Short mmCIF file of all heavy atoms in Angstrom, two decimals:
data_model
loop_
_atom_site.label_atom_id
_atom_site.label_comp_id
_atom_site.label_asym_id
_atom_site.label_seq_id
_atom_site.Cartn_x
_atom_site.Cartn_y
_atom_site.Cartn_z
N ALA L 346 7.35 0.20 3.87
CA ALA L 346 6.22 1.11 3.68
C ALA L 346 5.22 0.74 4.63
O ALA L 346 4.75 -0.38 4.73
CB ALA L 346 5.87 1.10 2.29
N GLY L 347 4.74 1.69 5.49
CA GLY L 347 3.70 1.48 6.44
C GLY L 347 2.36 1.16 5.77
O GLY L 347 2.01 1.74 4.69
N PRO L 348 1.45 0.44 6.52
CA PRO L 348 0.08 0.14 5.98
C PRO L 348 -0.79 1.36 5.83
O PRO L 348 -1.87 1.35 5.26
CB PRO L 348 -0.41 -0.90 6.94
CG PRO L 348 0.34 -0.64 8.22
CD PRO L 348 1.70 -0.19 7.82
N ASP L 349 -0.40 2.52 6.58
CA ASP L 349 -1.19 3.66 6.52
C ASP L 349 -1.06 4.45 5.10
O ASP L 349 -1.88 5.28 4.85
CB ASP L 349 -0.84 4.64 7.67
CG ASP L 349 0.55 5.17 7.56
OD1 ASP L 349 1.35 4.50 6.88
OD2 ASP L 349 0.80 6.24 8.21
N GLY L 350 -0.07 4.18 4.44
CA GLY L 350 0.05 4.69 3.07
C GLY L 350 0.95 5.95 3.07
O GLY L 350 1.34 6.43 1.91
N HIS L 351 1.42 6.48 4.18
CA HIS L 351 2.24 7.68 4.10
C HIS L 351 3.49 7.66 5.07
O HIS L 351 4.23 8.63 5.16
CB HIS L 351 1.50 8.93 4.38
CG HIS L 351 0.81 9.02 5.70
ND1 HIS L 351 1.55 9.32 6.90
CD2 HIS L 351 -0.48 8.78 6.04
CE1 HIS L 351 0.73 9.38 7.94
NE2 HIS L 351 -0.50 8.98 7.50
N THR L 352 3.67 6.52 5.79
CA THR L 352 4.80 6.39 6.73
C THR L 352 5.88 5.44 6.13
O THR L 352 5.58 4.34 5.67
CB THR L 352 4.40 5.87 8.05
OG1 THR L 352 3.37 6.69 8.64
CG2 THR L 352 5.50 5.94 9.03
N LEU L 353 7.07 5.94 6.14
CA LEU L 353 8.23 5.08 5.69
C LEU L 353 9.16 4.78 6.77
O LEU L 353 9.33 5.65 7.71
CB LEU L 353 9.06 5.88 4.59
CG LEU L 353 8.36 6.14 3.26
CD1 LEU L 353 9.31 6.92 2.36
CD2 LEU L 353 8.01 4.78 2.60
N TYR L 354 9.56 3.55 6.85
CA TYR L 354 10.54 3.18 7.92
C TYR L 354 11.83 2.78 7.13
O TYR L 354 11.96 1.87 6.46
CB TYR L 354 9.99 1.87 8.59
CG TYR L 354 8.61 2.21 9.19
CD1 TYR L 354 7.38 2.08 8.52
CD2 TYR L 354 8.52 2.54 10.60
CE1 TYR L 354 6.19 2.42 9.08
CE2 TYR L 354 7.28 2.83 11.12
CZ TYR L 354 6.11 2.77 10.42
OH TYR L 354 4.90 3.04 10.99
N VAL L 355 12.87 3.56 7.57
CA VAL L 355 14.15 3.47 6.89
C VAL L 355 15.20 3.02 7.93
O VAL L 355 15.44 3.57 9.01
CB VAL L 355 14.57 4.84 6.33
CG1 VAL L 355 15.88 4.68 5.58
CG2 VAL L 355 13.52 5.46 5.45
N GLY L 356 15.84 1.80 7.57
CA GLY L 356 16.83 1.34 8.39
C GLY L 356 18.19 1.70 7.81
O GLY L 356 18.45 1.59 6.54
N GLY L 357 19.13 2.23 8.66
CA GLY L 357 20.42 2.67 8.12
C GLY L 357 21.42 2.78 9.12
O GLY L 357 21.29 2.37 10.34
#
Side-chain angles (χ1 to χ4, degrees):
D349 64 337
H351 62 78
T352 305
L353 293 176
Y354 300 84
V355 184

